[in-house]
Amino acid sequence: MALDPDPAQRELTAEIVTSRWRAEDGDFAILGVLTEDGEEVTVKGPIGHVQIGENATLGGAWKRHAKHGWQFVVDRVVIAEPVGDAALIAYLSAIKHVGPRGAAWLVEQHGDEVLSVIDSDPERKLRQVPGIGPAKLGAAVRSWESQGALRAVRLFLERHGVPAAVAARIYRTLGNDAIGQLQEDPYSLTQVDGIGFATADALAQALGVGADSPGRLDAGVVHVLNQAELDGHCFLPRGELLSRARRLLGGDGAAVEARLAHLAAGGRVMLEEDRVAEASMYAVERALARKVADLLAEEPAFDLGEVDRPVGGAFVPTDAQWAVVDRVLKGRLSILTGGPGTGKTASMGTVVDVLRANKRTVRLCAPTGKAARRLTETTGVDATTIHRLLEWVPGEGFTRDREHPVDGADVLIVDEASMLSVRLAASLLDAVGPRTHVLLVGDVDQLAPVGPGRVLEDLIDSGAVPTTRLVEIFRQAARSMIVRAAHAINHGEYPPTTPGEDDIHDFFLISRDGGESIFAEIVELAAVRLPAHYGLERHTDVQVLAPMHKGPVGIDAFNGALRDRLNPDGGTVTGTPFRVGDRVIQTKNDHEHELMNGELAVIVAYDDDRDAAVLACDDGRTLRLPVKDCGTLRLGHAISIHKSQGSQMPVVVVPLFRGHHVMLTRNLVYTALTRAERAAVFVGDLGALSMALGRRDAGKRFTRLAALVR
């Protein structure tokens, strides 16, 4: 009989009867269960620790799989202690070298008390199991202890309301003594990647920790600094920090002041005049400044003598463009900046040509895969992402550093350097060897990087780094209305909308009043009219860029409507909210799969056997991403302007809506416009555009790099 579940049902009580698939890391599993009503059901989720024969209460939701029908997708689980021979044998069978026969022997020998009997002396009791000799005993004991510890951690967390999906991460981070650590300091949970203060605070309250306890106040102050880093800051003014901490923690401000002094004395935060920084961020910013200072102080690593400046041929550099070459050759660190159409790419090409002509090596990199691919196309030199250049190893970090610097480069060119956060820039420059010159290339008028700091802008503002700023717009580029509009916006001026006789009409400004009208126009443009007019692929070549996620003209609303128009019938990717055919964006760096924050892809298939989504990435790769790792994907038919940095799209469509007023700035509109290759279409309220033109930036970032370099 076909299963006909109640979609509103959010909880199952069931016995685990089969194991259909388990991930190697032990987190994710697909299991067969028998419900209290006697129905056989497939369940899936973070339940790799649940064994055959066990009884569990599973929380989650029903979802229909295109091939396998209804399944229950679990997000929380409470396991009953093993009762009965079947449950005990299932639990013991999972112990290394014990197996089903050894498990049955143990249950026969010790009955219902078998678990406590083994716990009393694991080495002696497991040594008695047939087939476990001295060579296997150590592994069996370690497996027993590890499984017992993980089970205890999960049960402990389940009892205190912590989601099952994070239990394995907690165990891997804190180890066998996780329960002891959490009971002593529940805020140690914040050490675990992806677990924030709120989860730790809820556990602490469940354990009876007082609101004014020193551990809570300390964790709250550090959390405020970590959140500030997510907002782009490298420190907070003391008054701002205390104000944010009091809002988070409540209670007496004097108590927070006292704990701040304690944290500073212990080295967890750094106090410098009126500034408060988290210790590691403070150290990274200072290390970056020292590396910059070292590069500026050192003599050139090589000398090409007199280099002939091209005076004929396909490209003749201007004085400013040739100055880039001169500065690259005469110093270890220099900067090239300028807006669209000013010749940054041609200048990089000239640097490459000069170096190659003089038998010197050059390497090129960029923060994103798409930017690196575009750099390869425009220079003819293979470019790579910064993470690949520095040879990132998941779980270990960058393998290239001061002791093992990047090799094979007389000159390292870093494009899209406006995207460099303090941490990434520090890692990159730390890996620059004593024989390498560095050229940072970027447009400082774009949005600040997603990570902390504003490295390129700070280095220019320091006045210490030799900088070439290109301002002349080349004749061919000046025909593009996108280029002219970008420069007008950058100066706070209204962009031209009427093309001249020789102009390339690639910028359009469509006036619409009200959120409903703006929304409908953009959906129709992106889904139908623009792909048809330009002969573009509807899923990938027209990108909606918006400032905010929520609201009637927000990213979430656009994604829902565009998916309904572009991909109404895509097959389900089980265990996710996605369909085959969806456009998606990655929202967090996934180094294991080399899928980085901001990268776009289309889900082209669902691999049922491997429980994985198959992605066609915009950088040309095909990637098989396990469903359990799809949690950081979001629909990407529309994305934020911030996430679009470093990318180019054939056509962009951008709403201008007064409801986005808190985000509207000149930099934001400029960045959105300059993502477009063939056409940019702005739709909306011209008053919202005026609002953006009147504001240079949405907010100041607290950084020290410029002052430190000076």
Side-chain angles (χ1 to χ4, degrees):
M1 184 177 66
L3 182 66
D4 185 23
D6 177 3
Q9 185 179 13
R10 293 291 180 266
E11 191 170 275
L12 284 179
T13 299
E15 178 188 353
I16 315 303
V17 293
T18 58
S19 176
R20 295 175 181 167
W21 187 82
R22 294 179 188 267
E24 291 182 5
D25 62 12
D27 287 1
F28 189 88
I30 302 174
L31 307 176
V33 306
L34 191 65
T35 70
E36 292 178 307
D37 297 328
E39 291 187 292
E40 292 188 15
V41 172
T42 298
V43 299
K44 61 193 297 182
I47 51 177
H49 62 298
V50 184
Q51 304 298 325
I52 294 172
E54 291 185 316
N55 289 285
T57 301
L58 308 168
W62 287 102
K63 291 191 178 180
R64 185 189 288 275
H65 187 283
K67 181 177 177 182
H68 300 296
W70 286 103
Q71 298 179 333
F72 194 76
V73 181
V74 178
D75 58 24
R76 61 190 184 279
V77 55
V78 177
I79 309 168
E81 286 295 331
V83 175
D85 290 356
L88 290 168
I89 289 171
Y91 182 79
L92 291 167
S93 294
I95 306 303
K96 193 166 186 178
H97 300 313
V98 171
R101 288 187 179 181
W105 184 88
L106 283 166
V107 171
E108 183 181 343
Q109 294 295 311
H110 304 293
D112 292 344
E113 304 299 317
V114 62
L115 300 184
S116 58
V117 168
I118 298 174
D119 261 337
S120 66
D121 192 347
E123 186 169 346
R124 187 166 69 88
K125 296 301 179 183
L126 291 176
R127 188 171 57 232
Q128 297 170 356
V129 176
I132 296 184
K136 297 180 178 179
L137 180 60
V141 171
R142 288 191 297 273
S143 177
W144 169 263
E145 292 173 345
S146 178
Q147 182 164 310
L150 174 57
R151 181 182 180 83
V153 169
R154 289 185 182 274
L155 290 171
F156 174 79
L157 294 172
E158 287 160 5
R159 285 197 298 270
H160 294 94
V162 178
V166 302
R169 271 185 286 150
I170 292 170
Y171 177 73
R172 284 197 295 269
T173 302
L174 301 183
N176 286 352
D177 191 37
I179 294 176
Q181 288 188 58
L182 293 174
Q183 288 175 325
E184 183 177 343
D185 177 16
Y187 295 97
S188 60
L189 262 184
T190 57
Q191 301 171 26
V192 181
D193 184 41
I195 298 180
F197 178 81
T199 299
D201 204 32
L203 175 61
Q205 291 180 33
L207 293 172
V209 175
D212 59 350
S213 71
R216 180 173 187 269
L217 299 179
D218 290 354
V221 169
V222 173
H223 173 73
V224 166
L225 288 173
N226 290 336
Q227 288 299 115
E229 181 177 331
L230 295 178
D231 293 335
H233 302 302
C234 298
F235 70 88
L236 285 177
R238 186 187 187 102
E240 176 70 15
L241 170 72
L242 293 173
S243 175
R244 294 188 187 192
R246 282 194 293 269
R247 286 199 299 272
L248 174 71
L249 298 166
D252 183 6
V256 176
E257 283 260 24
R259 296 313 300 175
L260 179 59
H262 174 81
L263 287 168
R268 291 183 66 187
V269 305
M270 305 300 293
L271 297 178
E272 188 179 77
E273 298 177 354
D274 190 44
R275 296 184 289 267
V276 186
E278 190 272 328
S280 68
M281 173 53 67
Y282 179 89
V284 166
E285 199 173 22
R286 289 188 69 86
L288 174 58
R290 280 197 301 271
K291 182 64 178 186
V292 169
D294 289 345
L295 289 171
L296 294 174
E298 291 168 0
E299 293 295 318
F302 57 87
D303 183 5
L304 299 185
E306 290 297 320
V307 177
D308 293 333
R309 175 176 172 177
V311 294
F315 176 72
V316 178
T318 65
D319 290 345
Q321 289 174 320
W322 189 249
V324 178
V325 177
D326 190 56
R327 285 173 170 149
V328 167
L329 298 179
K330 292 183 177 178
R332 296 285 311 282
L333 178 65
S334 55
I335 291 173
L336 167 61
T337 188
T342 58
K344 294 193 302 297
T345 299
S347 299
M348 284 190 283
T350 301
V351 172
V352 170
D353 291 343
V354 167
L355 291 165
R356 285 180 154 182
N358 286 272
K359 310 299 183 186
R360 293 289 175 174
T361 57
V362 59
R363 297 190 70 174
L364 290 82
C365 65
T368 67
K370 199 165 185 180
R373 185 174 62 174
R374 192 173 67 250
L375 189 57
T376 299
E377 293 168 352
T378 55
T379 64
V381 177
D382 285 340
T384 182
T385 63
I386 294 173
H387 279 77
R388 189 164 294 174
L389 177 79
L390 301 183
E391 298 177 12
W392 172 271
V393 176
E396 297 180 20
F398 296 119
T399 58
R400 294 289 183 176
D401 54 22
R402 184 168 303 185
E403 300 301 321
H404 303 91
V406 172
D407 53 15
D410 291 312
V411 173
L412 175 65
I413 298 177
V414 185
D415 197 16
E416 297 287 357
S418 63
M419 296 179 66
L420 290 175
S421 68
V422 167
R423 293 189 185 276
L424 184 57
S427 295
L428 177 63
L429 293 189
D430 186 53
V432 170
R435 305 296 301 170
T436 300
H437 293 204
V438 179
L439 173 63
L440 302 177
V441 183
D443 184 350
V444 292
D445 295 316
Q446 291 186 26
L447 289 168
V450 174
R454 44 171 204 166
V455 172
L456 189 66
E457 190 174 355
D458 277 349
L459 292 179
I460 293 172
D461 288 350
S462 74
V465 183
T467 300
T468 304
R469 185 185 290 270
L470 302 178
V471 295
E472 179 185 351
I473 304 175
F474 283 82
R475 183 177 178 182
Q476 179 65 24
R479 294 180 57 217
S480 166
M481 292 184 67
I482 288 176
V483 171
R484 287 165 48 205
H487 286 273
I489 288 169
N490 197 32
H491 290 92
E493 300 168 0
Y494 199 79
T497 56
T498 304
E501 185 177 342
D502 295 328
D503 284 345
I504 301 169
H505 195 186
D506 51 10
F507 172 65
F508 303 86
L509 187 56
I510 300 173
S511 177
R512 290 289 182 271
D513 292 325
E516 187 175 335
S517 177
I518 294 169
F519 185 83
E521 180 74 12
I522 287 179
V523 170
E524 186 67 20
L525 281 166
V528 180
R529 286 157 53 194
L530 288 170
H533 180 76
Y534 287 99
L536 300 172
E537 211 293 317
R538 296 197 310 159
H539 287 77
T540 57
D541 292 344
V542 179
Q543 187 67 59
V544 175
L545 303 178
M548 299 178 70
H549 281 268
K550 303 300 180 184
V553 192
I555 294 163
D556 295 344
F558 278 124
N559 270 321
L562 287 169
R563 179 209 234 184
D564 289 344
R565 295 289 293 274
L566 297 171
N567 188 34
D569 302 317
T572 301
V573 179
T574 306
T576 79
F578 305 118
R579 304 170 184 163
V580 174
D582 279 346
R583 177 81 159 158
V584 293
I585 183 170
Q586 173 72 331
T587 60
K588 184 179 179 181
N589 286 341
D590 180 348
H591 298 292
E592 180 180 353
H593 299 99
E594 295 189 6
L595 189 65
M596 310 307 283
N597 190 356
E599 290 199 60
L600 288 155
V602 173
I603 300 177
V604 294
Y606 170 57
D607 185 336
D608 182 52
D609 292 336
R610 301 186 186 181
D611 200 38
V614 181
L615 308 183
C617 302
D618 275 14
D619 63 4
R621 292 180 299 148
T622 298
L623 176 67
R624 189 171 272 96
L625 188 68
V627 162
K628 69 183 183 66
D629 295 317
C630 289
T632 51
L633 294 177
R634 299 290 181 271
L635 282 175
H637 302 288
I639 65 172
S640 73
I641 297 169
H642 283 81
K643 292 287 188 189
S644 73
Q645 292 180 85
S647 297
Q648 294 291 126
M649 295 91 172
V651 175
V652 301
V653 191
V654 183
L656 296 170
F657 178 52
R658 287 178 186 261
H660 296 157
H661 63 90
V662 295
M663 295 289 290
L664 289 175
T665 65
R666 204 183 301 175
N667 309 70
L668 186 89
V669 175
Y670 175 85
T671 299
L673 176 61
T674 54
R675 299 309 90 204
E677 294 173 327
R678 292 182 59 180
V681 184
F682 281 42
V683 180
D685 184 343
L686 303 189
L689 177 58
S690 298
M691 192 183 299
L693 295 176
R695 288 198 292 169
R696 178 65 185 162
D697 203 348
K700 176 180 172 59
R701 289 193 170 198
F702 297 115
T703 68
R704 300 177 303 141
L705 184 60
L708 289 171
V709 171
R710 277 195 297 267

